[in-house]
């Protein structure tokens, strides 16, 4: 089947995406000339630690939509499912550095690691203080004892939110870094896929999945999942995700509180996501676990893939305080 997307040249999708978003939010965002770096214009960087985020496009609003007040300060944007280049990351770091250091936040993928690390070293050689928080929340991609090998998925949203809040409050570099690491370490995610997505430059689905089947643990770039099963109902799907998340090593107990994200992959309706969310509330309530904050919607997509992911972040008093801080960005606004 011929690909059906509202695009022009498949090789210019990312450039035109970035340009279009900045035009829609030009009072608060700007794009660097000839480079897909987007930077806030509504902030004095000399008064805060910079928060730089980034990764490949195709997951909108992640990462491009999460630049703004109480979120990221600049983004290094790559092509579809591709890491931004070293020079793009380096310019994003420079753009957000007001002399108080920069914290880098991105998903735990080899291309991103290589390019962000090289850019970090270039920035350090120029005298900038730069540290990294790689997000590794996807429990399907590695066992608990190898957490640092897990993929970064929708927990990016929580980590960016927490780091951005800490930075916006004027917390020190060390405390912004510590808060981001805590948010990462207290987050777990698992997703299910019902269909493939189509990359603009390829023009066909990246994998095949039978109409009556679903994949548990499929990655947001089409990485293999951990189990293929017959299509389940919304409640059955929520039950599977819930049990696997609680079987991980986060050790949630009655009386604990979490932030919960029910995330769509691009083709899943809000109706479906809210039905899954309803069942998750029932399950957490039965265990005596409180849901302090709840996001439902498309935050970390995979083009037009059908399915959803569930992310939970275990909260303490500091994380609750930071979660409650205002955020204002194209992809997430909380007051």
């Amino acid at each position: 089947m011929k690909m059906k997307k509202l695009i022009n040249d498949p090789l210019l999708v990312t450039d035109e995406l970035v340009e279009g978003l900045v035009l829609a939010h030009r009072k608060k965002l700007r794009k660097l000339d000839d480079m897909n770096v987007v930077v806030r214009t509504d902030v004095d960087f000399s008064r805060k630690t910079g928060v730089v985020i980034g990764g490949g496009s195709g997951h909108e609003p992640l990462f491009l939509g999460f630049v703004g007040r109480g979120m990221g300060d600049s983004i290094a944007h790559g092509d579809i499912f591709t890491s931004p280049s070293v020079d793009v990351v380096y310019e994003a770091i420079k753009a957000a550095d007001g002399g108080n250091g920069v914290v880098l936040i991105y998903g735990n993928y080899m291309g991103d690691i290589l390019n962000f690390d090289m850019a970090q070293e270039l920035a350090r050689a120029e005298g900038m203080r730069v540290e990294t928080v790689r997000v590794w929340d996807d429990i399907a991609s590695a066992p608990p004892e190898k957490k640092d090998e897990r993929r970064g998925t929708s927990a990016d949203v929580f980590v960016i939110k927490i780091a951005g809040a800490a930075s916006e409050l004027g917390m020190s570099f060390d405390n912004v870094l510590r808060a981001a690491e805590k948010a990462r370490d207290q987050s777990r995610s698992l997703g299910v896929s019902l269909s493939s997505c189509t990359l603009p430059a390829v023009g066909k689905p990246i994998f095949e999945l039978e109409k009556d089947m679903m994949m548990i643990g499929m990655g947001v770039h089409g990485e293999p999942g951990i189990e293929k099963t017959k299509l389940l109902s919304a409640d059955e799907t929520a039950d599977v995700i819930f049990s696997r998340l609680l079987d991980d090593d986060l050790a949630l107990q009655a009386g604990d509180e979490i932030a919960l994200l029910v995330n769509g992959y691009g083709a899943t309706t809000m109706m479906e996501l809210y039905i899954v969310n309803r069942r998750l509330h029932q399950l957490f309530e039965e265990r005596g676990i409180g849901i302090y904050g709840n996001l439902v919607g498309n935050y970390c997509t995979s083009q037009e893939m059908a399915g959803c992911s569930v992310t939970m972040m275990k909260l303490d008093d500091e994380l609750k305080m930071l979660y409650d801080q205002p955020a204002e960005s194209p992809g997430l606004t909380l007051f």
Side-chain angles (χ1 to χ4, degrees):
M1 181 182 297
K2 184 179 180 181
M3 176 179 65
K4 296 174 71 174
K5 290 182 183 288
L6 292 174
I7 61 173
N8 299 307
D9 184 340
L11 300 180
L12 296 178
V13 165
T14 298
D15 294 343
E16 294 178 353
L17 157 69
V18 174
E19 182 181 356
L21 181 134
V22 172
L23 286 170
H25 302 277
R26 59 187 179 275
K27 291 184 179 179
K28 296 183 179 180
L29 301 177
R30 66 182 176 93
K31 176 185 176 297
L32 298 192
D33 292 338
D34 302 321
M35 191 167 289
N36 285 327
V37 174
V38 177
V39 188
R40 292 176 61 188
T41 60
D42 61 346
V43 63
D44 180 357
F45 287 116
S46 69
R47 298 180 179 272
K48 70 194 298 288
T49 296
V51 176
V52 175
I53 63 178
S57 55
H59 304 298
E60 290 74 32
L62 188 75
F63 288 88
L64 184 60
F66 297 142
V67 178
R69 181 169 68 103
M71 298 292 285
D73 292 311
S74 70
I75 176 182
H77 206 60
D79 288 332
I80 302 285
F81 294 0
T82 304
S83 170
S85 65
V86 175
D87 59 333
V88 168
V89 179
Y90 176 63
E91 292 299 329
I93 293 171
K94 289 201 302 181
D97 180 39
N100 301 304
V102 170
V103 174
L104 305 180
I105 298 172
Y106 56 91
N108 193 35
Y109 298 94
M110 185 53 63
D112 291 306
I113 294 169
L114 291 172
N115 290 350
F116 275 83
D117 280 357
M118 290 178 65
Q120 176 175 268
E121 292 307 312
L122 289 173
R124 286 174 172 173
E126 295 291 326
M128 288 178 267
R129 186 179 184 188
V130 186
E131 296 292 344
T132 289
V133 178
R134 296 198 300 273
V135 180
W136 48 57
D137 57 302
D138 182 4
I139 68 170
S141 53
E145 61 271 18
K146 296 182 178 181
K147 281 196 290 288
D148 61 352
E149 296 179 12
R150 288 176 166 176
R151 300 182 291 248
T153 58
S154 44
D156 282 298
V157 180
F158 285 149
V159 178
I160 294 167
K161 170 71 181 73
I162 295 301
S167 173
E168 205 74 32
L169 288 172
M171 293 173 65
S172 69
F173 177 90
D174 289 336
N175 283 329
V176 173
L177 177 64
R178 179 185 54 78
E181 290 174 336
K182 182 196 290 187
R184 185 267 317 277
D185 293 340
Q186 297 300 310
S187 295
R188 303 288 186 275
S189 299
L190 181 64
V192 296
S193 299
L194 280 64
S195 71
S196 177
C197 65
T198 302
L199 301 186
V202 176
K204 61 181 181 179
I206 61 176
F207 64 87
E208 296 292 335
L209 190 60
E210 298 88 341
K211 290 184 178 180
D212 62 342
M213 302 296 288
M214 65 192 300
M215 181 68 76
I216 299 170
M218 179 77 73
V220 293
H221 308 105
E223 299 94 339
I226 54 178
E227 181 184 346
K228 183 188 287 188
T229 183
K230 288 287 186 180
L231 184 63
L232 302 175
S233 69
D235 282 2
E236 290 168 336
T237 299
D239 290 351
V240 169
I241 294 175
F242 176 82
S243 64
R244 290 179 181 267
L245 286 175
L246 261 66
D247 283 344
D248 207 69
D249 67 338
L250 200 52
L252 283 173
Q253 301 177 12
D256 287 337
E257 293 180 290
I258 65 165
L260 178 67
L261 168 60
V262 179
N263 169 70
Y265 281 151
T268 311
T269 65
M270 290 299 295
M271 174 188 72
E272 296 164 87
L273 297 178
Y274 279 122
I275 292 172
V276 171
N277 189 63
R278 164 189 169 276
R279 177 58 178 164
L280 289 167
H281 273 256
Q282 294 172 351
L283 294 168
F284 280 110
E285 183 178 352
E286 289 171 2
R287 294 292 187 98
I289 298 167
I291 297 178
Y292 183 82
N294 190 190
L295 300 176
V296 181
N298 289 313
Y299 293 96
C300 173
T301 63
S302 182
Q303 290 285 283
E304 77 282 17
M305 183 186 290
C308 71
S309 64
V310 176
T311 300
M312 61 182 190
M313 177 173 64
K314 184 178 179 180
L315 300 173
D316 60 11
D317 288 343
E318 180 184 41
L319 288 177
K320 285 194 287 187
M321 181 274 293
L322 293 171
Y323 183 88
D324 282 341
Q325 297 305 306
E328 187 178 4
S329 67
L332 177 65
T333 298
L334 295 172
F335 292 101

